[in-house]
Amino acid sequence: MQTLTVEAVDPRDDAAFRRWFSVPAVAHPVDQPHLPAQVLSESLADAPPPGDPYDRWHHLIALVGDEGVGAARIELTSDSPNLAYFTLVVRPDQRRRGIGSALLAAVESWALGVGCAVALSETTRPLPVETVPGAAFAEQHGYRAGTVSVLRTLDLPAPDQHLTAADPGPVPGYRVVTWTDRCPEELLEGRAALNAELGEIPIKGGWAGGTGPESSDDPAAGPHRQPEVWDGDRVRAYEDRLISHGRRALCAGAVHEGTGELVAVTVIARHGAGRPHVHQWGTTVARKHRGHRLGMLVKVANLRQLASTWPDARQISSWNGATNASMIAINTALGYRAVGDGTDWGKVLRSS
Ligand SMILES: CC(C)(COP(=O)(O)OP(=O)(O)OC[C@H]1O[C@@H](n2cnc3c(N)ncnc32)[C@H](O)[C@@H]1OP(=O)(O)O)[C@@H](O)C(=O)NCCC(=O)NCCS
């Protein structure tokens, strides 16, 4: 048998990245049959550029000879420099040969080398599958299970009677605003403040392309996660990064009429014109404005914007913390149904 090696991959090297991507591409129908596969450019869509002040990604490939048999990506964010979030996958026909373990050792060693103290990952499961290899693998390597999130999908276009029945609007004292891609300048500071409440940087990217939990609070927050620091410049840098990679975003928000502040926001993202599957990203309502059904208000407004802007979209998916009763109630009322779930895993690599 040829020797197993693990190498870093530069995502700007087209051939090297294609070889890396071939691993999650072939594993996807086995591990994630409930979700449409990502295309190669989508896998890179949220990648920070080299030297980005906020985020850094590192790709590793496991090779047998010249053939890619395992792939990992480590995501770091400046807000929580001691956390390394990673995805790791082994080609289905190469499993139970120690490749995952070798790749994981390389992931942990790289994370320790850049100063991280904690490694985080996620396993995902299509329902009604009972258990997935990743859970036994993670436990075997000393990871402890954390938050569980549920993945729900809604076929599009959403039935108009569902939207009308669910729509709480108008809500006295608030008005709805919608925009695409770039937040209006006058709402930018409010947008940054809402991002700080939820945290929108995709540190939980996962193989599914779902980006960030949709929550009224961050269900992935642990004792090692620091609050995210956002200002208007960071919002703009993030928007520019998505646009330059071909991500499009439809956004709806609620403005408090008394102050003119943006106090709720929700985002639907799509990669590439014509992709039938779109993603529900974060929905946040500022804490002091909760209890007025603003979450539902902005989600209904954005689903209506989705129907008119991208009438060819066929399905939307949304991740929610399994205990996030308010967001689950909203999604259930809109007609979403559960198709899978995900478990967060964490391991302390060194005491800080
Ligand atoms: C999880 C995954 C990476 C394991 O890759 P792998 O190359 O098969 O892993 P290894 O051969 O190094 O397995 C190491 C140990 O993990 C455990 N393990 C791995 N797969 C298992 C399975 N299907 N059932 C039970 N235990 C399993 C075993 O203890 C195994 O040791 P053993 O083979 O000597 O019994 C692979 O199944 C995969 O890509 N799954 C989909 C993505 C995923 O879940 N990633 C994990 C994120 S933490």
Side-chain angles (χ1 to χ4, degrees):
M1 165 153 169
Q2 290 175 290
T3 338
L4 177 72
T5 54
V6 177
E7 285 179 6
V9 174
D10 180 350
R12 290 163 300 172
D13 175 338
D14 192 53
F17 189 72
R18 274 177 198 285
R19 186 166 66 173
W20 182 92
F21 182 72
S22 70
V23 180
V26 77
H28 182 95
V30 174
D31 299 318
Q32 314 252 8
H34 56 313
L35 283 175
Q38 281 194 341
V39 290
L40 181 130
S41 58
E42 189 171 11
S43 175
L44 272 182
D46 310 312
D52 185 87
Y54 308 111
D55 299 289
R56 177 177 175 193
W57 287 8
H58 185 68
H59 291 81
L60 290 170
I61 187 166
L63 296 165
V64 172
D66 271 348
E67 215 178 331
V69 291
R73 179 164 76 202
I74 311 162
E75 301 175 14
L76 308 179
T77 179
S78 58
D79 300 299
S80 300
N82 64 346
L83 293 188
Y85 173 79
F86 69 89
T87 55
L88 184 153
V89 65
V90 172
R91 233 169 64 183
D93 62 341
Q94 299 286 332
R95 292 181 182 173
R96 300 304 288 268
R97 298 176 188 186
I99 294 169
S101 301
L103 194 50
L104 181 61
V107 165
E108 292 180 351
S109 152
W110 186 86
L112 276 167
V114 294
C116 295
V118 174
L120 298 171
S121 192
E122 186 183 27
T123 53
T124 56
R125 175 176 76 143
L127 293 175
V129 164
E130 273 196 13
T131 182
V132 287
F137 175 79
E139 271 173 358
Q140 174 69 22
H141 288 285
Y143 284 75
R144 288 183 47 199
T147 317
V148 174
S149 308
V150 178
L151 177 66
R152 290 181 173 78
T153 59
L154 172 68
D155 290 336
L156 297 172
D160 205 50
Q161 65 271 29
H162 275 177
L163 295 184
T164 305
D167 190 352
V171 176
Y174 298 90
R175 70 185 155 84
V176 171
V177 283
T178 56
W179 67 90
T180 53
D181 300 327
R182 286 171 69 83
C183 176
E185 197 60 38
E186 68 276 14
L187 302 178
L188 194 58
E189 288 312 315
R191 180 81 180 94
L194 288 169
N195 273 7
E197 285 206 22
L198 176 63
E200 200 177 51
I201 284 289
I203 195 167
K204 276 168 59 78
W207 299 113
T211 301
E214 187 191 24
S215 173
S216 47
D217 282 301
D218 179 359
H224 300 280
R225 177 154 298 182
Q226 304 299 313
E228 293 185 7
V229 179
W230 282 84
D231 59 15
D233 288 347
R234 186 171 180 184
V235 173
R236 287 289 184 238
Y238 185 52
E239 289 172 341
D240 289 345
R241 182 167 127 193
L242 299 182
I243 294 166
S244 71
H245 286 124
R247 282 256 193 232
R248 301 290 317 279
L250 296 183
C251 308
V255 171
H256 180 237
E257 287 183 318
T259 57
E261 264 173 61
L262 184 73
V263 297
V265 72
T266 189
V267 181
I268 293 172
R270 186 181 212 183
H271 182 71
R275 291 274 287 160
H277 190 93
V278 300
H279 305 283
Q280 171 69 59
W281 283 4
T283 301
T284 318
V285 179
R287 281 189 182 82
K288 64 178 186 186
H289 293 274
R290 290 185 189 166
H292 302 286
R293 308 205 63 213
L294 298 180
M296 183 65 105
L297 183 75
V298 296
K299 286 197 65 158
V300 170
N302 218 21
L303 284 172
R304 290 213 162 102
Q305 178 172 216
L306 169 64
S308 59
T309 316
W310 298 331
D312 54 336
R314 287 291 160 260
Q315 191 182 58
I316 182 167
S317 57
S318 171
W319 283 98
N320 304 114
T323 56
N324 185 354
S326 54
M327 195 53 72
I328 292 169
I330 289 177
N331 283 344
T332 306
L334 289 170
Y336 278 86
R337 61 187 179 90
V339 294
D341 65 14
T343 301
D344 290 342
W345 296 88
K347 177 177 169 181
V348 177
L349 302 176
R350 63 166 172 79
S351 40
S352 26

